[in-house]
Amino acid sequence: MNFEKLTNPLRLELKRGCNNDAVIGGLDKFILKSLTDLDDVNLKRKLTKLFKDYDERTSEERKIIIRECLSLIESNLKKDSHVRQSKISNEVENSLKKTKLSELFIPVQYVKGIGPELAKKLYKLRIETAYDLLMYFPREYLDLRDVKKIVNLTTGENALLKVRIRNIEEKKGKLNILTVLATDGTGFIIAVWFNQGYLKKIFKVGMELYLYGKVQFSYGKWEMPSPAYEIVEEGKEPLNALRITPIYSLTEGLNEKVMRSKIKNFIDSIPYKIFDYIDKQVLERNNLVDLDFAIRNIHFPQSFQDISKSKKRLIFNELFELQYLLLNRKRTFKKLEGYAFTTKNSFIDEFSSLLPFELTSDQLKTMSHILKDFSSHHPMNRLIHGDVGSGKTVVALFASYVAYKNGFQSAIMSPTEILAEQTFKNALNIFKNLNMNIALLTSSTKRKERLKILDDLQNGNIDIIIGTHALIEEDVSFKKLGLVVVDEQHRFGVMQRGALKNKAIQPHTLVMSATPIPRTLALTLYGDLDISEIRVLPKGRKPVITKVFLNDEESPYSLVQEELNKGHKAYIVCPLIEDSDSLEVKSVETLFNKLKNTHLKNYKIAKLHGAMPSVDKQKVIDDFKNGDIQAIVSTTVVEVGVDVKDATVIVVEDADRFGLATLHQLRGRVGRSDLQSYCLLIVRTPSKESVERLRILEKTNNGFEVAEEDLRLRGEGEIFGTKQSGLSNLHLYSLMQEDSITLLEQARSEALSMINKEITWEEERVEELKRIISKKYEDAILLIEVG
Ligand code: ADP
Ligand code: MG
């Protein structure tokens, strides 16, 4: 019995406050069922008794029950811990014999040779299960297939040598230096290790070693400082040499050799071929190698060609699974019953006549998408994806206009108060001649006013409510909510997004995002939504001129002065509110004081940051809009949404502290009219990488291009805007390549034809696919269920 199977959910239940929901379907049912394969009759009886009527208990009582259970299990474990160890490895081995990946979702510590200590380190790499370990792919490979001879070395090169030890010397002192003299028969080499005294016990004169590292020729001798080594063992294939050697990303306390050997041992312990759950026809059609081959070869490849075949296959898998999940979800959406609105094309003309400008072609196209969605019996689930400043708000207001015409209420949720207030004023202005009731609800709404709003929402007096997360509080309820809009949706947590939707039965949903993400990722993350893209910007917009200023160059503030002299406005953004000891970055306070006495002393300037009371914030924004303030010194509170047309310059101090996504959003604060605008990025302590990254912004104003470039430069790690998406466990984005888009389209179309039953898959494969998806994407399923 794997006790982790019990203790993990028990601990989770405690953490979640004992609502019997740590496991879907009820923790009690899960525990009672798991107990059936417990051999220890005594323990089984005790635990069963404790859990029998768990569901009827109060959460306080439940806490006691769980603590009791945990301590019973723990004391039992101590009693026979070594018996348990061997039992568990047997269990793992048995499950491996089935060689289905879905059976490898067991805690990684039970993989033979891993254990709790190493597991803790692996967790830091997000390796939690045996499956994760298998799917932890090398970051790169070293070609160590050939051994070099000392006589042929070139100084400065990296080389693999096979040598015999002739002499070992240790120099003790502040720095412990171990010097090993060795030869391969063609010459001598001196390998040196620092502060690794334990090596002295490992190395023996006469022993044979592989050494890998940089070689240097100095004072007539070949040297190798701190090389990687492996002892040659008779009749045993070396792990780290004579092969294409994988290099893994590591964390503190882990080294390549350990990582390599754990993964190798694990792979070798899988006795049978890994069951391939993708249909054979699909593999053939798309030229994909077998799963077993791909997994084994991505770690320990025979050739570089095999690596790329394996990568392709594994990326396909990842994409296919996600597309299967999302497309299924989309199908479910489409089957739901929703409100069919009466839609007339004349709505577009009526609405346009309320605006002071002409709509762009993309705005009009998106509006007709929305009309079409509204007129069907199924709820709309649409994403409006458009760069900053492309004019998404007005489209959302159009949607609420149509809802209003149909006698339904709309709710528009924004991530910040400043943005909510702005949308509110915008709506008031556009709809001023209609008999429409529009209200604003944020956490700073006064209690009395709030109660009135809640009342009016419930009795249907309010047509459009605009607000922040204050909208999803429990006591907010609607009479007839027909449309939900979530602006800057990536800013909300999964639960927040869903909560608004849950205030009605299948309302139409519109989510808006300016997060520029590569197309590949957009299709992947939003595969369950219909997407409208707004690409053209409103007429007359000039591209913002972006310039990176390194510390020793002229100050950007003369340009700020010029702009202010023309009657335009400026934002100056810096990373922190107050100076901090740990980071040498400009804070709002210091910078404000400095500018007030220097460059901007003749201008009206103000501070703005998140810690200010919201009335004060609003006052600053209002004064800025009407010209009483010419420049704002702020934190990134102005990042999303703020719309001031004659702001023409934004200065970002310590720009290298921000991600490109944030900077692009910040840049979107200017260039919102036909005036030429500027974005000036200051870097005080430039590094080559950060400057290269910032130069991307100089090159292009297009958010999508910025995203693609950023992805290319960073290669791996956090992808633009996905931090909160819930999809952080995509193992393979680190492997994504230029041609992945083609692969994505193949995966999507194969998933579609499978769902539409155009091809029939064997039942066993379908089952395995579903099992893997459900284990892997619990988060994602949540995201998709409620988002
Ligand atoms: P975003 O897509 O970033 O949310 P907004 O909806 O805030 O963009 O629009 C940016 C600015 O452009 C606003 O001031 C808005 O009134 C204006 N705008 C929107 N559509 C048009 C248009 N078709 N022509 C001119 N200005 C427009
Ligand atoms: Mg917006």
Side-chain angles (χ1 to χ4, degrees):
M1 166 104 200
N2 171 0
F3 284 102
E4 204 77 4
K5 203 170 117 190
L6 296 179
T7 53
N8 278 347
L10 287 170
R11 293 211 178 89
L12 181 64
E13 174 84 356
L14 265 186
K15 214 162 83 189
R16 296 175 58 105
C18 297
N19 302 311
N20 199 12
D21 64 357
V23 176
I24 294 167
L27 175 75
D28 55 344
K29 296 213 180 65
F30 172 80
I31 298 284
L32 290 171
K33 187 158 169 284
S34 311
L35 288 177
T36 51
D37 37 295
L38 182 65
D39 312 331
D40 186 332
V41 206
N42 203 3
L43 182 65
K44 186 160 152 179
R45 193 173 42 79
K46 284 185 194 159
L47 292 177
T48 314
K49 201 169 148 205
L50 277 170
F51 254 92
K52 223 172 51 220
D53 46 4
Y54 183 79
D55 197 39
E56 278 118 63
R57 304 282 186 171
T58 67
S59 57
E60 274 316 303
E61 289 169 329
R62 287 177 184 168
K63 259 182 218 159
I64 299 167
I65 293 178
I66 297 211
R67 295 223 172 86
E68 178 65 22
C69 274
L70 283 168
S71 82
L72 271 174
I73 293 173
E74 267 151 28
S75 60
N76 207 62
L77 285 184
K78 277 193 201 116
K79 211 172 60 196
D80 58 4
S81 67
H82 52 279
V83 179
R84 168 181 158 250
Q85 266 304 335
S86 68
K87 264 195 187 155
I88 284 164
S89 359
N90 280 341
E91 196 177 314
V92 171
E93 255 169 281
N94 284 339
S95 76
L96 288 188
K97 275 182 193 146
K98 293 173 199 154
T99 58
K100 285 197 176 163
L101 286 182
S102 63
E103 281 156 6
L104 296 184
F105 288 81
I106 47 168
V108 68
Q109 75 173 95
Y110 296 136
V111 170
K112 217 174 181 173
I114 289 196
E117 279 312 304
L118 186 54
K120 266 187 224 147
K121 292 173 192 157
L122 294 175
Y123 290 159
K124 291 201 186 127
L125 299 170
R126 297 213 203 141
I127 301 173
E128 289 171 12
T129 62
Y131 174 88
D132 294 337
L133 185 66
L134 213 49
M135 296 294 162
Y136 194 73
F137 304 124
R139 142 175 85 79
E140 56 183 327
Y141 303 85
L142 276 179
D143 189 354
L144 300 187
R145 285 177 291 188
D146 298 322
V147 173
K148 285 233 154 133
K149 290 292 176 202
I150 296 177
V151 66
N152 297 329
L153 291 177
T154 329
T155 187
E157 75 173 328
N158 286 308
L160 175 70
L161 302 174
K162 188 181 183 188
V163 294
R164 196 175 288 280
I165 299 181
R166 280 296 177 80
N167 188 33
I168 304 172
E169 243 177 65
E170 188 186 24
K171 220 186 269 161
K172 284 193 180 156
K174 228 192 213 152
L175 193 66
N176 176 308
I177 306 175
L178 187 77
T179 313
V180 168
L181 177 73
T183 178
D184 67 354
T186 74
F188 284 89
I189 188 125
I190 300 165
V192 188
W193 286 271
F194 305 96
N195 284 341
Q196 298 194 44
Y198 66 93
L199 289 177
K200 197 177 166 228
K201 297 201 188 83
I202 298 176
F203 296 151
K204 301 267 170 326
V205 171
M207 186 181 252
E208 258 196 303
L209 294 178
Y210 290 105
L211 293 177
Y212 176 78
K214 196 178 204 155
V215 293
Q216 282 160 0
F217 194 70
S218 66
Y219 298 106
K221 290 176 187 142
W222 283 107
E223 285 181 359
M224 232 175 176
S226 313
Y229 71 91
E230 179 169 345
I231 297 165
V232 177
E233 282 179 62
E234 202 57 49
K236 207 180 139 208
E237 193 188 355
L239 175 62
N240 306 286
L242 298 192
R243 63 168 75 244
I244 297 174
T245 309
I247 309 281
Y248 298 93
S249 298
L250 299 171
T251 179
E252 217 182 300
L254 253 185
N255 66 42
E256 288 293 346
K257 266 164 97 170
V258 170
M259 195 71 182
R260 228 171 262 154
S261 77
K262 298 300 171 189
I263 293 183
K264 183 80 166 68
N265 290 340
F266 182 42
I267 291 183
D268 289 348
S269 76
I270 301 175
Y272 301 110
K273 258 185 94 165
I274 294 166
F275 176 68
D276 198 333
Y277 50 95
I278 301 286
D279 185 81
K280 287 271 175 299
Q281 291 175 60
V282 174
L283 296 185
E284 269 165 38
R285 229 191 334 257
N286 298 287
N287 216 348
L288 297 165
V289 296
D290 177 75
L291 184 61
D292 183 81
F293 177 92
I295 290 179
R296 292 179 198 265
N297 278 276
I298 194 102
H299 291 288
F300 298 97
Q302 297 296 319
S303 70
F304 281 91
Q305 219 179 2
D306 287 351
I307 299 177
S308 49
K309 283 187 201 157
S310 304
K311 269 189 189 174
K312 181 176 170 195
R313 169 62 212 262
L314 293 164
I315 294 172
F316 181 88
N317 256 40
E318 198 81 7
L319 296 172
F320 182 88
E321 288 161 11
L322 249 175
Q323 291 307 318
Y324 176 82
L325 175 82
L326 294 173
L327 290 168
N328 250 325
R329 186 65 208 148
K330 188 168 181 174
R331 236 166 64 119
T332 317
F333 279 153
K334 299 267 179 220
K335 282 194 206 136
L336 295 173
E337 278 297 310
Y339 312 116
F341 288 175
T342 309
T343 57
K344 296 188 212 126
N345 280 330
S346 62
F347 283 160
I348 296 185
D349 293 335
E350 287 167 31
F351 181 77
S352 301
S353 72
L354 304 171
L355 303 174
F357 48 71
E358 252 177 63
L359 292 162
T360 65
S361 56
D362 280 352
Q363 285 171 324
L364 288 167
K365 198 173 66 199
T366 307
M367 289 177 180
S368 59
H369 292 159
I370 292 174
L371 282 183
K372 190 152 166 273
D373 291 348
F374 274 167
S375 63
S376 96
H377 288 274
H378 311 295
M380 167 170 83
N381 269 294
R382 184 167 291 280
L383 167 76
I384 305 184
H385 200 211
D387 214 342
V388 258
S390 60
K392 296 181 291 292
T393 317
V394 81
V395 178
L397 291 176
F398 168 73
S400 358
Y401 173 76
V402 179
Y404 162 76
K405 283 289 195 181
N406 278 273
F408 279 88
Q409 295 171 297
S410 311
I412 303 179
M413 184 161 73
S414 298
T416 65
E417 285 190 16
I418 293 178
L419 193 51
E421 187 124 3
Q422 179 179 290
T423 307
F424 173 63
K425 287 184 178 158
N426 219 328
L428 283 181
N429 192 29
I430 291 178
F431 297 128
K432 59 181 177 271
N433 295 325
L434 301 183
N435 184 21
M436 203 191 257
N437 237 324
I438 307 171
L440 175 72
L441 183 66
T442 69
S443 41
S444 356
T445 307
K446 296 267 157 30
R447 206 184 111 79
K448 219 173 118 197
E449 196 189 339
R450 180 170 185 276
L451 290 177
K452 170 94 171 73
I453 290 176
L454 296 193
D455 237 27
D456 284 344
L457 281 174
Q458 207 157 32
N459 61 32
N461 282 345
I462 290 176
D463 301 302
I464 305 182
I465 181 86
I466 295 165
T468 54
H469 50 271
L471 291 178
I472 58 180
E473 264 161 47
E474 215 161 309
D475 53 354
V476 179
S477 62
F478 294 82
K479 183 167 186 220
K480 227 179 156 190
L481 179 61
L483 169 71
V484 163
V485 180
V486 182
D487 194 7
E488 307 285 352
Q489 64 95 30
H490 56 280
R491 289 252 154 181
F492 289 98
V494 170
M495 298 314 282
Q496 291 172 317
R497 262 179 268 163
L500 186 55
K501 204 163 144 178
N502 291 341
K503 293 196 178 286
I505 303 156
Q506 305 306 343
H508 294 291
T509 304
L510 197 58
V511 299
M512 306 199 286
S513 179
T515 311
I517 52 176
R519 213 174 104 74
T520 17
L521 210 54
L523 266 178
T524 313
L525 293 179
Y526 302 122
D528 57 333
L529 301 175
D530 295 309
I531 303 181
S532 298
E533 268 187 85
I534 302 191
R535 284 187 166 256
V536 271
L537 295 180
K539 254 198 234 127
R541 295 277 171 86
K542 294 194 180 72
V544 177
I545 296 173
T546 302
K547 189 161 167 18
V548 178
F549 285 78
L550 303 181
N551 51 353
D552 49 356
E553 287 171 2
E554 63 194 300
S555 153
Y557 287 100
S558 51
L559 196 121
V560 175
Q561 291 168 351
E562 269 174 47
E563 285 301 303
L564 296 183
N565 291 343
K566 288 187 212 157
H568 302 161
K569 292 161 189 165
Y571 297 98
I572 293 130
V573 178
C574 51
L576 289 180
I577 303 172
E578 282 170 57
D579 272 336
S580 98
D581 297 333
S582 54
L583 295 173
E584 279 182 51
V585 286
K586 295 271 169 232
S587 71
V588 170
E589 290 293 340
T590 347
L591 186 65
F592 176 80
N593 290 330
K594 189 182 139 206
L595 290 175
K596 208 168 61 174
N597 295 316
T598 56
H599 304 294
L600 301 183
K601 88 174 152 227
N602 300 323
Y603 303 90
K604 292 170 283 184
I605 71 175
K607 289 177 278 197
L608 181 70
H609 55 73
M612 279 161 60
S614 91
V615 271
D616 296 358
K617 274 191 264 185
Q618 198 50 51
K619 172 110 177 41
V620 172
I621 294 275
D622 288 343
D623 287 349
F624 187 55
K625 278 190 179 166
N626 66 33
D628 288 342
I629 288 171
Q630 295 168 281
I632 295 184
V633 182
S634 85
T635 54
T636 51
V637 285
V638 297
E639 177 187 345
V640 286
V642 177
D643 184 41
V644 178
K645 289 208 165 19
D646 52 359
T648 55
V649 56
I650 182 161
V651 178
V652 184
E653 289 273 352
D654 296 306
D656 50 332
R657 298 245 164 220
F658 298 102
L660 285 191
T662 305
L663 291 172
H664 181 70
Q665 275 281 348
L666 285 169
R667 175 166 65 177
R669 293 316 108 222
V670 298
R672 301 193 143 242
S673 65
D674 53 5
L675 299 171
Q676 178 61 58
S677 295
Y678 304 88
C679 170
L680 312 176
L681 307 172
I682 306 180
V683 187
R684 306 271 166 197
T685 44
S687 75
K688 194 167 156 282
E689 295 86 59
S690 63
V691 173
E692 191 187 351
R693 226 160 46 81
L694 295 177
R695 299 257 184 236
I696 295 175
L697 295 170
E698 282 185 342
K699 272 185 276 170
T700 177
N701 267 288
N702 180 317
F704 295 91
E705 280 172 27
V706 173
E708 302 271 0
E709 276 288 294
D710 192 47
L711 182 64
R712 191 186 59 77
L713 264 190
R714 283 198 281 181
E716 58 181 307
E718 191 226 326
I719 312 285
F720 237 78
T722 56
K723 209 163 42 193
Q724 294 188 27
S725 67
L727 288 176
S728 49
N729 54 350
L730 297 184
H731 293 277
L732 268 147
Y733 274 107
S734 56
L735 300 184
M736 282 289 216
Q737 298 151 334
E738 311 250 301
D739 59 353
S740 301
I741 182 73
T742 328
L743 209 54
L744 171 66
E745 273 150 14
Q746 286 167 351
R748 194 170 166 86
S749 96
E750 291 292 358
L752 200 61
S753 72
M754 178 189 177
I755 290 170
N756 292 339
K757 303 221 160 35
E758 286 159 24
I759 50 173
T760 5
W761 283 35
E762 283 163 51
E763 202 45 45
E764 195 183 7
R765 291 185 208 277
V766 182
E767 295 266 298
E768 172 73 351
L769 172 69
K770 285 186 181 162
R771 238 177 283 141
I772 288 186
I773 291 177
S774 73
K775 297 209 157 136
K776 225 163 119 176
Y777 292 115
E778 275 161 33
D779 289 1
I781 289 168
L782 193 65
L783 167 81
I784 289 146
E785 289 300 335
V786 299

